Amino acid sequence: LAQIPSAEPQNTFSFHPIGWLESCFKEKFGIPRQPGLVKEAWAVLHLPKTEAMREALHGLDSFSHLWLIFIFDRCYEKPWSPRVRPPRLGGDRSMGVFASRAPFRPNPLGMSVVEYKGLDSDDEHWLLKLGGCDLVDGTPILDIKPYLPYVDGVVGASEGWTSEAWPELQVSFSEQALTTIHSIGDDGMRLQALISSCLRQDPRPAYKRGKAEVQEYGFKLEQWNIKFIVRESLATVLELELASAS
Amino acid sequence: LAQIPSAEPQNTFSFHPIGWLESCFKEKFGIPRQPGLVKEAWAVLHLPKTEAMREALHGLDSFSHLWLIFIFDRCYEKPWSPRVRPPRLGGDRSMGVFASRAPFRPNPLGMSVVEYKGLDSDDEHWLLKLGGCDLVDGTPILDIKPYLPYVDGVVGASEGWTSEAWPELQVSFSEQALTTIHSIGDDGMRLQALISSCLRQDPRPAYKRGKAEVQEYGFKLEQWNIKFIVRESLATVLELELASAS
């Protein structure tokens, strides 16, 4: 084993993002905990409009799903935790960080499988349209790879501690919220479905679940502040407010 | 979209490997082209024997499969190719690098799903035993994540250009090769199965397939130089020689 170097800090590898992600999720709260859970969650990967980049994307449209390798940049150069408390375990049982997908890792890298929805462009960017995302607006992307079912779809892999069920919520909208949605016009239906899918996943911190106390929550989705409460297993959207420009 | 920075080179993110991989594959030639294809391919991830690392691994044993995120370190700081010629396409058709898993990428990061075979230790390292690997000895590892079937096993994902079949080879052994294998004793059977599985995948460069010319190839596996020829769809192991220490 003499040829294997020791894990010393001077062994540094540097990477530059290939592009940045625009996403419907404008803050961490409210983001589904894994990709694919909210089909309506859209994102657009902005890549520099170079000829090399266009060539590098050739053939992508033969795939329905892609991997993104990204940086949890809000965790970059912050301390990592050897143990984490996954929401799925109710927040009161801990796991090793390598047995979880939590963001505070020794190297804060993430991988998400997303739906590929086509390629577009603006004056300066190739725009890769994506669905089913679980990434916050502005996430730096390091790599795109095709999802290969014969490699990535492991038959018979065990579920580990993720076999415990994640209880979904029912979702309803107040009259006030529905009035706002209807006032938007044609796009209101899409927005309503997106909000419903996000709340169905129960974005509250795990330790709040099963508590009798009813608290008002808010999260930013696209240009909206969504306010909601949860009573037992029912989430109710109280209102949608236009968010102030950030 | 004002909050999304442009993809400028001063945006640099640095990472330190958590550990290094010891693998049965001592050189690039002969490595299966994806993980899981050669079940007998073993690897051991060496991690520093700290208490934090032990904690970080807690719960890993509830999973059968893990992701490794690693650096294609032999491609690091080398030019990348916008187009690649995947072996599966016979080496004469090209694809964009983002539609492939090829190593020469803008950021030479790889991800492989491997079998988890248990945790061991020596004086200085935690030793994560892995199976079904497709990584070369000495690969720097950045992250370990659990394989989550409900997230990573995408039902109905398209195969893209990988739907084209990869023809496997038959494998035979010369008397000379068998004599060497039998002389090893109990471990000979395991070695023979490993060699067979590797050659079944046809490690030759794609442009050599279907050529009438018969050429002798060699590759390093563990401490052995394996010499073989391919005639039509039959690979024959000619001999095994002890490799000189590198």
Side-chain angles (χ1 to χ4, degrees):
Chain A
L1 195 59
Q3 74 276 32
I4 297 194
S6 62
E8 284 166 353
Q10 65 266 36
N11 288 301
T12 298
F13 293 86
S14 296
F15 300 97
H16 309 298
I18 56 169
W20 273 262
L21 201 76
E22 179 191 2
S23 152
C24 59
F25 300 114
K26 305 304 182 190
E27 61 178 6
K28 208 180 137 198
F29 183 66
I31 299 183
R33 291 175 169 102
Q34 295 297 340
L37 299 177
V38 175
K39 303 287 175 208
E40 299 87 350
W42 61 265
V44 180
L45 175 54
H46 293 241
L47 299 166
K49 202 172 182 178
T50 62
E51 181 59 20
M53 200 53 88
R54 197 185 66 82
E55 287 290 310
L57 298 170
H58 177 83
L60 219 56
D61 52 8
S62 74
F63 293 97
S64 62
H65 290 75
L66 307 176
W67 289 105
L68 298 179
I69 298 189
F70 61 91
I71 302 168
F72 288 111
D73 60 325
R74 285 148 188 80
C75 306
Y76 183 69
E77 290 186 334
K78 299 212 174 124
W80 62 282
S81 315
R83 292 267 202 157
V84 297
R85 296 177 183 278
R88 185 176 281 261
L89 294 178
D92 54 359
R93 283 160 55 200
S94 77
M95 279 292 150
V97 68
F98 292 137
S100 88
R101 297 286 190 100
F104 287 98
R105 319 178 68 81
N107 291 304
L109 294 168
M111 38 180 271
S112 280
V113 57
V114 295
E115 264 185 273
Y116 178 58
K117 302 271 206 176
L119 185 64
D120 212 335
S121 71
D122 65 16
D123 285 352
E124 295 180 3
H125 300 96
W126 303 114
L127 302 172
L128 222 63
K129 293 182 288 182
L130 306 169
C133 283
D134 62 340
L135 302 177
V136 72
D137 199 50
T139 296
I141 305 297
L142 291 179
D143 201 6
I144 308 163
K145 296 182 194 289
Y147 182 90
L148 304 182
Y150 84 103
V151 179
D152 302 323
V154 177
V155 177
S158 67
E159 299 174 303
W161 56 262
T162 69
S163 59
E164 307 198 12
W166 178 259
E168 296 196 347
L169 299 179
Q170 299 292 310
V171 182
S172 69
F173 289 77
S174 73
E175 273 190 56
Q176 192 183 346
L178 288 174
T179 303
T180 308
I181 287 167
H182 295 154
S183 75
I184 298 170
D186 289 346
D187 200 39
M189 294 277 283
R190 182 197 61 80
L191 180 63
Q192 187 175 358
L194 173 58
I195 296 169
S196 290
S197 287
C198 290
L199 292 186
R200 211 174 289 130
Q201 295 297 319
D202 194 354
R204 293 175 300 164
Y207 67 90
K208 293 284 188 182
R209 285 191 290 163
K211 295 278 161 64
E213 169 210 6
V214 174
Q215 180 185 336
E216 189 178 306
Y217 296 92
F219 71 108
K220 279 193 203 171
L221 199 62
E222 302 176 357
Q223 72 273 44
W224 299 96
N225 271 325
I226 316 293
K227 297 193 175 172
F228 69 98
I229 54 169
V230 182
R231 230 184 272 278
E232 297 185 353
S233 64
L234 178 69
T236 302
V237 179
L238 302 176
E239 56 175 330
L240 285 68
E241 287 181 342
L242 274 176
S244 50
S246 56
Chain B
L1 192 61
Q3 72 275 35
I4 297 196
S6 61
E8 284 167 352
Q10 65 264 37
N11 289 300
T12 299
F13 293 86
S14 296
F15 300 97
H16 308 299
I18 55 169
W20 272 262
L21 201 75
E22 179 191 2
S23 151
C24 59
F25 301 114
K26 305 304 181 189
E27 61 178 7
K28 206 178 138 199
F29 183 65
I31 300 184
R33 291 175 170 101
Q34 296 298 340
L37 299 177
V38 174
K39 302 287 176 208
E40 299 86 351
W42 60 266
V44 180
L45 175 53
H46 293 241
L47 299 167
K49 201 172 182 178
T50 61
E51 181 59 19
M53 199 53 88
R54 198 185 65 82
E55 286 291 309
L57 297 169
H58 177 82
L60 218 57
D61 51 8
S62 74
F63 293 97
S64 62
H65 290 75
L66 308 176
W67 289 104
L68 298 180
I69 298 189
F70 60 91
I71 302 168
F72 287 113
D73 59 325
R74 286 149 187 79
C75 306
Y76 184 70
E77 291 187 331
K78 296 208 175 132
W80 62 282
S81 315
R83 292 269 203 157
V84 297
R85 296 177 183 278
R88 185 177 282 261
L89 294 177
D92 55 359
R93 282 160 57 200
S94 78
M95 279 290 152
V97 68
F98 292 137
S100 87
R101 297 286 190 100
F104 288 98
R105 321 178 67 81
N107 292 304
L109 294 168
M111 39 180 270
S112 281
V113 57
V114 295
E115 264 184 273
Y116 178 58
K117 302 272 206 174
L119 185 64
D120 211 335
S121 71
D122 65 16
D123 285 352
E124 296 181 4
H125 301 95
W126 302 113
L127 302 172
L128 222 65
K129 293 183 288 180
L130 306 168
C133 284
D134 62 340
L135 302 177
V136 72
D137 199 50
T139 296
I141 306 297
L142 292 179
D143 202 6
I144 308 164
K145 296 181 195 290
Y147 182 91
L148 304 181
Y150 84 103
V151 178
D152 302 323
V154 177
V155 176
S158 68
E159 299 174 301
W161 56 261
T162 69
S163 60
E164 305 198 14
W166 179 259
E168 295 196 346
L169 299 179
Q170 299 292 311
V171 182
S172 70
F173 289 76
S174 73
E175 274 190 55
Q176 191 182 345
L178 288 174
T179 302
T180 306
I181 287 166
H182 295 153
S183 74
I184 298 170
D186 289 347
D187 199 40
M189 292 276 284
R190 183 196 61 79
L191 180 62
Q192 187 175 357
L194 173 59
I195 296 170
S196 289
S197 287
C198 291
L199 292 185
R200 211 175 289 130
Q201 295 297 319
D202 195 352
R204 293 175 301 165
Y207 66 90
K208 292 285 187 180
R209 286 191 290 163
K211 295 279 162 63
E213 170 209 4
V214 175
Q215 181 185 335
E216 189 179 304
Y217 296 93
F219 72 108
K220 278 192 204 171
L221 200 60
E222 301 176 358
Q223 72 272 44
W224 300 96
N225 271 325
I226 316 292
K227 297 193 172 171
F228 69 97
I229 55 169
V230 182
R231 228 184 274 278
E232 297 185 355
S233 65
L234 178 69
T236 302
V237 179
L238 301 176
E239 56 176 329
L240 287 67
E241 286 181 342
L242 275 175
S244 51
S246 57

